[in-house]
């Protein structure tokens, strides 16, 4: 509007405080996106990490950008490169999924911006930490008087605990390590199991104890052998530190804690237990049995951001011997105003000094879940892990290597090459995400079940993906909604300078023809809306737009997706559109007249909305929202064209199915002097359309409150006429009619 200021991306020379309106807008944008991200389901893998350099890179801007533009760019980058590590089917590494209440508390933590160092600097976070300490010591069954420090993760929690162990053992030998260091210090021996996590070994090296490490033999499940531990402990020179496991990385096994505690203490040693995820099993009466004797240790490390499902980062260091703990990490200086009379200073219970108020997020999750909620989370994940093991272990050629004790599943799928191939295929398709590992010198697959979203039902798509990948012939292409074709050379930029005649749409006849040896095309116009809807439903199961519209967590999801596809295809065919299906019924392509050439009346629109509402039930609101969004962004200035609304290949179809349909469409468009407009719902489908000559013509259409985009593309009639495949297609002027 004339007379109004224009705001551009570089409206100010340096960032400054924008109006309150902009603050509210950017916070509302993040809140809306967060709700969509946390409540929806999405492919587990990172979608397009290759786009991150463009989205995040380039030179540092000379001038700042508006807050909303910056946040939206960050959301786009997140949608391209963030791994949905908290998803129900994310089984790679022991990574939990942040509970929504934890995310909300984490936001408040950032809003309050507390520096969690001294009690006086943030009484809020200091008191919250003391409360969490009391709650967790009781919940996990640790000895009374155990102290807790909040760290950035289990590695620094291990570092704090092992520093306390070193302090205690050297003090007993008459050596003040804080004053005299490790040079010429009395000998120490550190005994670790064969499956000890690498973070423990790193901490021992940082503490100057790398040369003191001795490895204890493990049994078939990776558990420390008490017999060998006793032999090494009896022969150990100097003070003894033993590092045990509560939940091993590969298979979730737990060392025989009571036995190794007895042996350690018989020899005057300090027992530290790395319980990064496994320690949370102590909160479950049903799954605490493998942790028998856990309370006998001297220190424990754990992660809240693993099985408790707090946001990152939340490490927990527990120590039953407060004095050496404080001696190891406590500090004081003239400028520090310590307030022991009012409360403890959090900095004296960890390595870090200044840090965000992690205790607030931890408190919120504990308060929200309570004792029973934490036990239910553990039980639900353990049941899901056992279900995965049963379903996959029953398949010939898939071997369960270790019994499932907690929430880890360890598998071998044929030889090392086949195991690796299955992992790559499963991960590329995005139904779940897993990580390979090594077990006793051979390749294996580890599935770690840690997310609050994961129950037995949520594992079924992962089971199906594993079985399909295992049974697939070597070299078979992975399933993909669209990208199942050989590439066609990219086209030059479209020309907009030639006037074209009126758009006359002719329903194409059924064709199946071969032009030389290069291109086969096939077109079978169909009124079988049911079959077309089935193909689309199967193909778009993991599509990000459909995932936003009908979340995977919605019971009966496939029924609603199919209902939407059925209503949409039925409307388009009834409105003068064309549905094509390959003779093998493994690919479908649906186009309709452009909005200009066949406008939808109000009555038709209301009827279509009613059909969607009836077919999609609880997902109807978002389904209607998507249709309205596409309508509002439909270009009005394009040359005559058709709207390529839907294109898909049924998973498992032979490569080239879409190529054959698209080649037939190309010929039909050429003969009718029409272009084609479409909205690509993923980068892979956008790339496919571009390989046929379509080019992006508008900024991406962003789904409300998300970073999910649809890319508007157009192929000009002139470019269709110059398409390199046309001479081959036109080689038979009268294609054979089937």
């Amino acid at each position: 509007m004339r007379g109004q200021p224009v705001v551009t991306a570089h409206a100010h020379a340096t960032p400054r405080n924008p109006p309150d309106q902009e603050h509210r807008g950017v916070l509302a944008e993040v809140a809306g996106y967060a709700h969509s991200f946390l409540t929806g389901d999405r492919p587990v893998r990172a979608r397009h990490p290759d786009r991150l350099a463009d989205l995040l890179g380039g030179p540092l801007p000379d001038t700042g950008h508006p807050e909303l533009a910056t946040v939206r760019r960050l959301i786009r980058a997140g949608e391209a490169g963030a791994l949905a590590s908290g998803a129900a089917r994310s089984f790679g590494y022991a990574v939990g999924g942040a509970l929504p209440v934890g995310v909300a508390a984490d936001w408040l933590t950032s809003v309050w911006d507390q520096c969690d160092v001294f009690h006086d600097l943030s009484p809020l976070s200091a008191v919250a930490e003391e409360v969490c300490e009391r709650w967790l010591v009781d919940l996990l069954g640790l000895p009374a008087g155990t102290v807790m420090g909040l760290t950035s993760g289990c590695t620094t929690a291990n570092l704090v605990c092992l520093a306390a162990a070193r302090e205690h053992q050297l003090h007993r030998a008459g050596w003040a390590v804080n004053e005299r260091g490790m040079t010429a210090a009395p000998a120490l021996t550190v005994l670790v199991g064969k499956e000890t996590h690498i973070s423990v070994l790193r901490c021992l090296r940082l503490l100057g104890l790398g040369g003191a490490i001795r490895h204890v033999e493990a049994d078939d499940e990776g558990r420390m052998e008490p017999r060998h531990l006793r032999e090494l402990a009896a022969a150990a020179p100097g003070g003894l530190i033993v590092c045990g496991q509560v939940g091993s990385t590969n298979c979730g096994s737990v060392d025989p804690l009571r036995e190794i505690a007895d042996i350690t203490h018989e020899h005057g040693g300090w027992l530290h237990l790395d319980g990064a995820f496994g320690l949370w099993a102590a909160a479950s009466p049903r799954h605490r049995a493998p942790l028998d004797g856990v309370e006998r240790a001297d220190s424990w490390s754990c992660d809240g951001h693993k099985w408790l499902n707090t946001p990152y980062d939340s490490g927990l260091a527990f120590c039953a011997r407060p004095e050496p703990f404080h001696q190891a990490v406590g500090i004081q200086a003239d400028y520090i105003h310590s307030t022991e009379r009012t409360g403890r200073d959090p900095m004296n219970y960890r390595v870090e000094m200044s840090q965000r108020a992690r205790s607030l997020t931890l408190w919120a999750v504990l308060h929200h879940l309570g004792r029973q909620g934490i036990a239910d989370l553990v039980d639900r994940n353990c049941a899901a892990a056992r279900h995965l093991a049963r379903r996959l272990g029953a398949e010939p050629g898939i071997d369960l290597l270790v019994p499932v004790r907690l929430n880890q599943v360890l598998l071998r799928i044929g030889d090392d090459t086949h195991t690796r191939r299955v992992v790559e295929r499963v991960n590329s398709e995005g139904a779940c995400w897993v990580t390979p590992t090594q077990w006793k010198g051979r390749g294996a697959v580890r599935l770690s079940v840690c997310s609050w979203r994961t129950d037995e039902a949520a594992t079924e798509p992962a089971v199906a993906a594993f079985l399909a990948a295992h049974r697939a012939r070597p070299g078979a292409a992975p399933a993909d909604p669209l990208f199942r074709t050989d590439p066609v050379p990219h086209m030059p930029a479209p020309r907009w300078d030639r006037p074209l005649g009126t758009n006359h749409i002719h329903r194409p006849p059924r064709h199946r023809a071969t032009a030389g040896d290069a291109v086969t095309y096939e077109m079978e116009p169909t009124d079988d809306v049911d079959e077309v809807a089935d193909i689309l439903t199967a193909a778009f199961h993991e599509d990000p737009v459909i995932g936003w519209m009908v979340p995977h967590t919605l019971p009966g999801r496939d029924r609603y997706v199919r209902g939407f596809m059925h209503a949409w295809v039925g409307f388009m065919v009834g409105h003068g559109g064309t549905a094509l299906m390959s003779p093998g019924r493994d690919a479908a392509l649906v186009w309709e007249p452009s909005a200009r050439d066949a406008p939808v009346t109000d009555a038709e629109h209301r009827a279509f909305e009613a059909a969607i509402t009836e077919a999609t039930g609880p997902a109807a609101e978002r389904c209607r929202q998507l249709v309205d969004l596409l309508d509002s962004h439909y270009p009005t200035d394009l040359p005559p064209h058709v709207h390529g609304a839907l294109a898909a290949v049924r998973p498992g179809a032979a490569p080239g199915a879409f190529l054959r349909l698209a080649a037939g469409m190309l010929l039909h468009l050429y003969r009718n002097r029409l272009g084609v407009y479409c909205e690509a719902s993923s980068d892979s489908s956008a790339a496919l359309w571009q390989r046929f000559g379509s080019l992006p013509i508008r900024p991406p259409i962003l789904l409300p409150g998300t970073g999910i985009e649809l890319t508007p593309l157009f192929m000009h009639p002139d470019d269709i006429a110059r398409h390199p495949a046309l001479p081959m297609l036109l080689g038979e002027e009268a294609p054979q009619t089937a």
Side-chain angles (χ1 to χ4, degrees):
M1 185 181 300
R2 286 184 299 174
Q4 296 294 320
V6 177
V7 179
T8 68
H10 303 284
H12 45 274
T14 57
R16 62 176 183 235
N17 293 328
D20 289 345
Q21 181 83 17
E22 189 169 358
H23 283 320
R24 287 196 298 271
V26 74
L27 294 174
E29 182 87 5
V30 173
Y33 172 74
H35 181 266
S36 173
F37 186 90
L38 291 174
T39 57
D41 203 357
R42 57 195 59 231
V44 181
R45 67 183 186 276
R47 287 188 177 125
H48 306 293
D50 54 305
R51 296 181 58 193
L52 291 175
D54 291 333
L55 289 169
L56 298 175
L60 177 67
D62 292 330
T63 55
H65 291 75
E67 291 179 347
L68 200 56
T70 296
V71 165
R72 284 176 174 168
R73 172 61 68 91
L74 185 58
I75 287 174
R76 291 180 64 193
E79 285 296 309
L83 191 75
S85 55
R89 300 184 301 279
S90 179
F91 304 132
Y93 304 109
V95 176
L99 285 156
V101 70
V103 174
D106 208 46
W107 289 352
L108 286 173
T109 300
S110 295
V111 168
W112 288 328
D113 195 26
Q114 302 290 282
C115 184
D116 185 35
V117 181
F118 321 122
H119 181 280
D120 281 0
L121 194 53
S122 179
L124 171 66
S125 57
V127 172
E129 184 169 325
E130 289 185 81
V131 172
C132 290
E133 176 187 88
R134 187 173 72 251
W135 286 354
L136 287 173
V137 168
D138 175 58
L139 176 74
L140 300 174
L142 305 182
T146 295
V147 295
M148 181 191 77
L150 291 181
T151 72
S152 60
C154 206
T155 297
T156 45
N158 282 325
L159 185 64
V160 170
C161 292
L162 291 170
R166 185 186 68 172
E167 165 70 28
H168 178 71
Q169 295 300 70
L170 289 178
H171 180 77
R172 291 181 62 196
W175 187 265
V177 67
N178 287 341
E179 291 76 27
R180 305 176 68 179
M182 288 297 292
T183 302
L188 293 178
T189 299
V190 183
L191 302 181
V192 303
K194 290 285 188 181
E195 292 296 310
T196 294
H197 194 269
I198 55 175
S199 68
V200 174
L201 303 179
R202 168 192 271 183
C203 293
L204 291 169
R205 292 199 303 269
L206 290 172
L207 292 168
L209 298 174
I213 299 172
R214 302 292 182 271
H215 289 276
V216 183
E217 293 176 0
D219 65 11
D220 290 342
E221 296 186 26
R223 299 173 298 194
M224 189 182 290
E225 283 277 12
R227 173 194 54 77
H228 192 222
L229 173 66
R230 187 179 297 278
E231 292 176 5
L232 294 178
L240 176 66
I241 299 172
V242 176
C243 299
Q245 289 271 100
V246 183
S248 66
T249 305
N250 275 324
C251 56
S253 60
V254 180
D255 287 336
L257 303 180
R258 188 168 295 279
E259 288 183 83
I260 66 174
D262 288 342
I263 295 169
T264 302
H265 294 149
E266 284 173 13
H267 292 84
W270 176 295
L271 176 59
H272 170 67
L273 297 179
D274 176 14
F277 64 88
L279 189 58
W280 294 108
S284 164
R286 185 177 302 174
H287 291 95
R288 186 182 171 89
L291 278 65
D292 177 51
V294 67
E295 73 284 353
R296 299 284 311 284
D298 299 283
S299 61
W300 307 258
S301 61
C302 189
D303 272 328
H305 52 242
K306 286 188 169 65
W307 216 351
L308 187 62
N309 282 239
T310 67
Y312 278 87
D313 43 14
S314 179
L316 307 170
F318 297 98
C319 188
R321 299 176 181 266
E323 186 174 352
F325 189 81
H326 293 313
Q327 288 293 324
V329 298
I331 53 173
Q332 190 53 264
D334 292 339
Y335 70 91
I336 295 176
H337 178 59
S338 182
T339 53
E340 293 182 1
R341 69 183 185 279
T342 56
R344 72 177 194 174
D345 293 324
M347 69 172 183
N348 287 324
Y349 294 79
R350 61 178 188 244
V351 173
E352 302 92 337
M353 288 188 64
S354 297
Q355 69 175 27
R356 68 199 318 269
R358 296 183 173 112
S359 59
L360 303 181
T361 305
L362 177 62
W363 180 92
V365 171
L366 293 173
H367 186 269
H368 167 65
L369 290 178
R371 187 184 301 272
Q372 187 59 52
I374 298 170
D376 289 345
L377 171 61
V378 170
D379 294 345
R380 184 166 63 251
N381 282 174
C382 290
R386 291 192 298 271
H387 182 74
L388 278 167
R390 282 195 302 270
R391 295 279 279 113
L392 294 174
E395 176 75 5
I398 300 181
D399 299 315
L400 181 65
L401 298 179
V402 176
V404 175
R405 302 300 182 187
L406 294 175
N407 62 333
Q408 308 287 102
V409 182
L410 189 65
L411 303 168
R412 180 172 293 128
I413 309 176
D415 58 20
D416 286 7
T417 300
H418 186 60
T419 298
R420 184 173 60 254
R421 183 185 300 123
V422 168
V423 169
E424 291 172 353
R425 185 181 179 102
V426 166
N427 287 344
S428 70
E429 293 178 0
C432 65
W433 184 62
V434 296
T435 46
T437 187
Q438 290 283 316
W439 180 254
K440 299 188 182 303
R442 294 185 58 192
V445 185
R446 181 190 64 165
L447 290 79
S448 182
V449 185
C450 290
S451 174
W452 61 276
R453 299 169 180 260
T454 310
D455 56 13
E456 291 186 32
T459 65
E460 279 302 315
V463 170
F466 262 99
L467 296 180
H470 173 50
R471 296 167 183 172
R473 65 187 186 278
D480 190 291
L482 284 177
F483 207 93
R484 303 280 299 173
T485 70
D486 299 322
V488 173
H490 188 67
M491 293 300 301
R495 295 175 56 189
W496 302 88
D497 55 351
R498 290 191 184 182
L500 295 172
T502 304
N503 182 2
H504 297 291
I505 295 179
H506 303 286
R507 186 174 175 85
R510 179 179 177 184
H511 284 305
R512 182 179 179 86
T514 302
D517 296 326
V519 178
T520 298
Y521 71 91
E522 52 195 37
M523 295 195 301
E524 185 179 358
T526 180
D527 294 320
D528 190 347
V529 175
D530 288 337
E531 187 71 21
V532 173
D534 284 344
I535 296 172
L536 295 170
T537 300
F540 282 90
H541 186 272
E542 294 295 334
D543 182 81
V545 173
I546 302 301
W548 168 82
M549 188 178 68
V550 188
H552 284 264
T553 53
L554 186 65
R557 175 182 189 266
D558 284 353
R559 180 172 75 254
Y560 299 128
V561 173
R562 188 184 183 282
F564 175 79
M565 295 297 184
H566 193 280
W568 198 356
V569 174
F571 172 79
M572 286 187 288
V573 170
H575 194 66
T578 298
L580 299 180
M581 191 162 50
S582 61
R585 295 178 175 255
D586 55 3
L589 178 61
V590 185
W591 75 72
E592 61 176 339
S594 70
R596 182 183 65 186
D597 291 296
V600 178
T601 66
D602 290 342
E604 289 173 325
H605 185 75
R606 287 194 298 270
F608 180 39
E609 282 201 335
I612 289 178
T613 300
E614 182 180 357
T616 59
E621 181 178 354
R622 281 194 177 175
C623 292
R624 293 193 302 267
Q625 193 175 4
L626 176 65
V627 172
D628 291 343
L629 184 71
L630 296 179
D631 285 347
S632 66
H633 284 81
Y634 199 102
T636 59
D637 58 347
L638 298 180
H641 65 278
V642 298
H643 177 206
L646 293 166
V649 177
R650 193 190 297 273
F658 180 73
L659 173 63
R660 293 188 291 273
L661 281 182
M665 182 187 74
L666 195 71
L667 183 58
H668 175 70
L669 295 175
Y670 166 75
R671 286 174 171 166
N672 288 277
R673 297 287 287 156
L674 297 172
V676 59
Y677 168 77
C678 65
E679 303 102 343
S681 60
S682 66
D683 280 3
S684 61
S685 60
L688 179 64
W689 282 107
Q690 289 182 73
R691 289 182 180 181
F692 278 94
S694 296
L695 291 173
I697 58 167
R698 296 283 191 280
I701 303 170
L702 192 67
L703 294 185
T706 77
I708 302 174
E709 300 173 348
L710 293 103
T711 304
L713 300 122
F714 187 70
M715 183 158 51
H716 195 277
D718 285 352
D719 293 328
I720 292 175
R722 298 195 302 268
H723 199 286
L726 272 175
M728 294 179 286
L729 291 170
L730 293 170
E732 298 183 12
E733 288 295 331
Q736 299 172 1
T737 301

